[in-house]
Amino acid sequence: MRGGSRSGATAGGGTAAVVRAAAIVAAIPLALAGCGSPDDAETLTVLAAASLADVLPAVADDLEADHPGLRVELSFAASSTVVQQVDEGAPADVVALADEAALDPLDPRPEHGDPVLFATNTLRIVVPADNPAGIGSPDDLERDGVRLVVCAAQVPCGRATATLLEQLGIEPAVASHEQDVRATLTKVVLGEADAGVVYATDAASASDAVSVVPLPAGAEVRTAYPVLRVSDHPLADAFVEELLSERGRAHLADAGFGLP
C-alpha cells in the first residue's frame, strides 16, 4: 500500500498517472496492518481523502527522512469512507478529509486531537481531451445525451458539486454518481463520460488528458480540508505538524491546493 501510494503521487502525468491513481484508490484495504499502537512507533497510518493522493506521499517522505525507521502508511478513499473506517475500529493514527462537514459523523474519543484546516480546493468541470460531446459551457451539460458523471451525494465533492450546479442554475441529468473524485476523473479520462465535476487539483493532475470548461465569473465552491490525530501514536502529531510546516505547505501549493 505504501509503495503504491508513492507511485501515485506524480502530478501532471496524464492518463497513465490518473489510471495509476485510480488503481491505488481501488486497492484500498479496509484492514490496515501493523499500526496504531503507542509501542509501534515505526509505522504510522494515515487515512485520507482521495483528492490528496498526489500530495501526501511527499509529506510522508519528508517525515520519514526526519525519523529514520519510521514507515508512513497512506490509504486513500472518499472522506465519508475514511470516517466510517475509523468509527468501525480500523487502525488509523491520522485522518485528513476533504471538507469540515465530513468530520461530523466521527465518534469523539479521548485520543482524538483538534481538527486543523490545512488546505482549500475548488471545483472544475472537465471533459475528455478531444471533447467528443462538444461541451463549451456549463449550459451544454443539460443537452440530451450528454453523459455527466459526478461524485456521490454523501462525499465532499458530491456535496460541493450540488452547490456548484445550483450556483450555475442548471439541472443536468447525471449518468452516474461515483464513489469519490478520483473515480469520477478516471471515467472522464477514459472517455466513459462526456464530462465530470472534480476538484481543481484533480483536473491539474490529469494534465492534457482532460480539458477544463470555463465557469462564469462568481461561480465557485470552495472546500476546506481538516486534519487531526485519531490515536495516541507518538508521531501522529508530528505528521499533522509536517503537513502544516513550510515544506508541507509548499507541496500543497505545488499540487494546486489553496492555503488557509
Side-chain angles (χ1 to χ4, degrees):
M1 177 175 58
R2 173 176 177 264
S5 297
R6 296 295 199 272
S7 67
T10 302
T15 304
V18 172
V19 171
R20 287 198 300 272
I24 293 163
V25 172
I28 293 169
L30 289 176
L32 303 171
C35 58
S37 167
D39 298 327
D40 185 17
E42 73 275 10
T43 301
L44 185 75
T45 298
V46 178
L47 307 187
S51 52
L52 294 166
D54 288 332
V55 69
L56 288 194
V59 177
D61 286 344
D62 289 341
L63 188 65
E64 289 176 346
D66 286 351
H67 296 82
L70 173 67
R71 178 181 176 85
V72 179
E73 296 280 3
L74 299 171
S75 181
F76 300 98
S79 293
S80 57
T81 299
V82 168
V83 170
Q84 181 181 3
Q85 288 174 341
V86 174
D87 284 344
E88 292 178 351
D93 301 306
V94 176
V95 298
L97 306 175
D99 76 1
E100 295 176 272
L103 282 172
D104 292 345
L106 185 65
D107 293 337
R109 297 176 188 172
E111 64 270 27
H112 289 184
D114 294 327
V116 180
L117 300 181
F118 66 94
T120 63
N121 215 338
T122 58
L123 291 177
R124 296 287 184 269
I125 297 172
V126 294
V127 298
D130 56 352
N131 194 11
I135 295 171
S137 76
D139 290 343
D140 290 333
L141 299 179
E142 292 189 302
R143 293 199 324 248
D144 291 341
V146 169
R147 299 172 299 164
L148 172 66
V149 293
V150 301
C151 295
Q154 67 269 26
V155 302
C157 64
R159 291 191 289 270
T161 296
T163 301
L164 178 64
L165 296 180
E166 183 177 356
Q167 285 185 4
L168 295 170
I170 59 175
E171 297 181 1
V174 175
S176 70
H177 294 82
E178 301 300 319
Q179 62 182 356
D180 58 43
V181 70
R182 286 307 172 104
T184 302
L185 178 65
T186 298
K187 281 217 165 182
V188 176
V189 170
L190 297 180
E192 297 174 357
D194 297 317
V197 182
V198 300
Y199 289 122
T201 53
D202 296 293
S205 74
S207 187
D208 57 1
V210 299
S211 296
V212 175
V213 177
L215 295 174
E220 181 181 71
V221 178
R222 186 172 297 273
T223 185
Y225 285 61
V227 62
L228 73 157
R229 163 174 52 82
V230 293
S231 82
D232 54 4
H233 191 293
L235 289 177
D237 283 333
F239 185 91
V240 175
E241 292 167 2
E242 182 62 42
L243 190 57
L244 299 172
S245 71
E246 183 176 342
R247 61 184 178 182
R249 288 167 63 84
H251 291 312
L252 290 165
D254 288 345
F257 288 93
L259 301 175

